Each structure stands twice: as C-alpha cells, then as structure tokens.
Amino acid sequence: NEIDPTSTSSLVSLFKPDANDDEIKIGIVKHVKLLAEKYGVSEYKILLLYDDNYEISGWHSNRIYSGATSDEKNRDILMILYSGGGRIEPAYLISKTCKRLAKNKFIVAIPRKAKSAATLIALGADEIHMGLMSELGPIDPQIGGFPALGMHNALNILASLSCSYPGSSEMLGKYLGEKLDLRVLGYFERITESAVQYAERLLTGKILPEGKSPHSLADHFVNHYKDHGFVIDADEATDLLGSAIVKQQTSEYTFANALYGSLDFLGLAFDILRKQTFDYVGSINEGLMIRKKADD
C-alpha cells in the first residue's frame, strides 16, 4: 500500500542517510502544501511562526513581513502560531502588519501554545482559531525571566510587613535604599503600561462582548493573572473575546493541529537522526530553517 503523503509516517522517508538539508526542505514544503489542500485552507496566504528555540524578536518580524509580501496575490492571511513568547514590540508589528496586508481577514490558528508576546499577536487577528489543547497566556512583560509586575508586588509585600511590624520599617527602608534603583522601578512600571497600550491598540475596532472594551481586556491580559504561564484555554478566550473572534474546532484549527503533529515529529527526527533542530517562520516556501543543534 502507498503511504499517504499527508501522513506523519510519510516524513520518515525524507531522512535517508545520504539526504542533504535542501532535499529534506523540499520534502517538508511539499508535505505542508499537501496538508493545506487536504484540510481546505490552501486559498489562504499561509504564514508560520513555529519556533520553540528562540523568543520572538525583530528577526521573526522581518521573516513574517517577507513571507506576507512574497507573492502578489491579495489573499486572506492564515498564521499558524506556536511560540512561548518574546519581545512585545516585534509581536505588535507582526500582528499589525498581517492585519494590514490581509485582503479581508487575518486569522491566527493555535494548535498548542501561543504565550505572552505570541498572545499579543493573536489579539490583533480578526479571528483566533483554537481547540482543546490550544492556549493563550498573560502578556505581562518579563525582565530577565522575572515579571515586571513582580517589583510592584514585592514592594506591596514589604510595605505590608512594615505596617504589621513597625520595628522593621527602619531596617527595610535602609535595605531598599541600598538595593533599589528607582529608575529600574520606573522602567518596570512603564514597560507594563506599554504592554497594555499595545494590546489596546490591537483590540480597537473589534466587535467585543457586552461590557468589554479594548482597554479593559488589555488590562486583563496584562494585570489579571498571577502566573506568567497561566493557561487561557479556548473557553476562557471565548468568554473574554467573544465567539465573533474566537472560533473552535474549525478546518483552520484542524489543519494547524495536523501540521503541529508533523512538525513535532520532525523535531524528534532531526534531533535523533541528524543532531539538528529547525524553526519555521515566514512563508511555506521560504520559512523553514534547519540548524545544527547546539552542544549540550
């Protein structure tokens, strides 16, 4: 029996001992295009932001812009988004650019995680397609792996301790005077406020549920959650953003989920068979980057 070229098992044949990177790339690109045809989404301009190796940066926004302008056809944009997050500035530019360049709709499909700055990208889309394993997350900025909001919370805790134990106030005041740079505190406050501004701008003009506004939702995504890794699943996303924006179990999501299965398998195959890794950022044709795996 012939192997279905859209099945994950069909990818095994790409990893022949004498295969080079270019040959493997050609096979993967063909596989992705066949998947798009199978699930009825090939009419979209499909962009991928699939990267579990690096945080979202200017490199990603440049790749997405290149992919979005790589053909002259004016089409709706479907972005497959899988990322743990990164910098909010390029994420904002990615979302706004895709919205501007789409014919009528900019759609984001999330097969698994689209956290932090990746959630910010999704907030600018006309539609966010999700399933049972999809997750958005808080967009509170992180500095050196720690939440910018944590500085404010820590000061509140110290102030509470000082009130509860007046005898400790002098010691705490001296410690803060020696350790805390007020310029850093101001920066942490400002960067958190900027995240709210970016999210509010991307949400402006959308049809939102009754009682929700761009500012209230932006503030919720930045300031409401106590853990940066908190899972905002499809049901909660629908409650927040409404069914006009969040769509569940659509053909676009089904394609994204099938593609995630293929790319997840490829990650394992590259690692075991070739000691390589990859990311897929940009268009189907040009976005795949195969890299030598960094030594552990």
Side-chain angles (χ1 to χ4, degrees):
N1 294 332
E2 291 188 5
I3 297 176
D4 178 1
T6 63
S7 69
T8 303
S9 58
S10 68
L11 297 171
V12 175
S13 62
L14 299 178
F15 291 87
K16 299 174 182 177
D18 59 345
N20 60 44
D21 288 356
D22 288 338
E23 291 170 335
I24 293 176
K25 277 185 180 181
I26 291 170
I28 293 172
V29 167
K30 181 179 179 181
H31 174 83
V32 175
K33 289 181 176 179
L34 288 172
L35 271 180
E37 292 177 6
K38 178 178 180 178
Y39 290 99
V41 298
S42 55
E43 75 276 9
Y44 289 107
K45 181 182 295 183
I46 298 174
L47 302 176
L48 295 93
L49 201 167
Y50 183 99
D51 192 351
D52 210 19
N53 298 311
Y54 301 99
E55 293 185 343
I56 294 171
S57 66
W59 180 85
H60 293 80
S61 58
N62 287 331
R63 297 281 294 179
I64 293 297
Y65 178 69
S66 177
T69 56
S70 60
D71 72 65
E72 296 179 356
K73 293 182 179 179
N74 187 17
R75 295 186 286 173
D76 290 340
I77 290 176
L78 170 62
M79 175 183 286
I80 311 305
L81 184 56
Y82 176 78
S83 169
R87 293 185 58 84
I88 59 174
E89 298 90 353
Y92 171 76
L93 286 174
I94 287 170
S95 192
K96 188 171 182 179
T97 296
C98 288
K99 171 68 175 172
R100 182 74 60 86
L101 293 177
K103 180 180 180 181
N104 295 308
K105 284 185 178 181
F106 166 40
I107 296 172
V108 165
I110 302 171
R112 294 295 184 274
K113 65 178 180 181
K115 309 290 277 188
S116 190
T119 293
L120 185 66
I121 293 174
L123 292 182
D126 295 292
E127 295 176 1
I128 306 171
H129 292 235
M130 303 178 71
L132 292 176
M133 297 299 291
S134 306
E135 55 177 297
L136 300 172
I139 56 176
D140 55 310
Q142 306 291 292
I143 308 294
F146 295 96
L149 289 171
M151 176 71 79
H152 183 76
N153 293 337
L155 288 175
N156 284 337
I157 292 171
L158 291 174
S160 178
L161 285 172
S162 181
C163 291
S164 300
Y165 305 97
S168 67
S169 58
E170 184 177 349
M171 178 190 70
L172 291 173
K174 182 179 179 181
Y175 175 80
L176 289 175
E178 293 176 352
K179 299 294 184 180
L180 180 62
D181 185 338
L182 291 179
R183 293 172 298 179
V184 174
L185 176 60
Y187 173 71
F188 278 28
E189 291 288 328
R190 298 280 289 183
I191 196 171
T192 299
E193 292 169 2
S194 73
V196 174
Q197 286 183 315
Y198 281 130
E200 183 176 358
R201 290 180 180 185
L202 292 176
L203 288 164
T204 296
K206 299 185 186 301
I207 299 174
L208 301 172
E210 185 176 355
K212 302 286 175 57
S213 70
H215 180 75
S216 69
L217 284 170
D219 183 75
H220 183 93
F221 274 96
V222 174
N223 293 301
H224 175 72
Y225 301 97
K226 304 303 182 186
D227 175 21
H228 188 63
F230 195 94
V231 173
I232 302 173
D233 63 14
D235 291 336
E236 183 172 0
T238 303
D239 289 340
L240 289 170
L241 298 168
S243 57
I245 294 175
V246 180
K247 310 291 184 180
Q248 297 193 42
Q249 302 297 342
T250 61
S251 58
E252 288 85 355
Y253 167 77
T254 305
F255 164 67
N257 188 56
L259 179 58
Y260 170 81
S262 295
L263 297 180
D264 187 52
F265 169 81
L266 284 169
L268 185 63
F270 273 115
D271 182 21
I272 294 175
L273 300 176
R274 297 176 66 89
K275 303 302 180 188
Q276 292 176 314
T277 185
F278 77 95
D279 45 69
Y280 213 148
V281 181
S283 68
I284 293 177
N285 288 327
E286 304 296 336
L288 182 61
M289 299 281 289
I290 300 174
R291 309 173 187 274
K292 182 179 179 181
K293 194 166 185 249
D295 294 332
D296 296 330

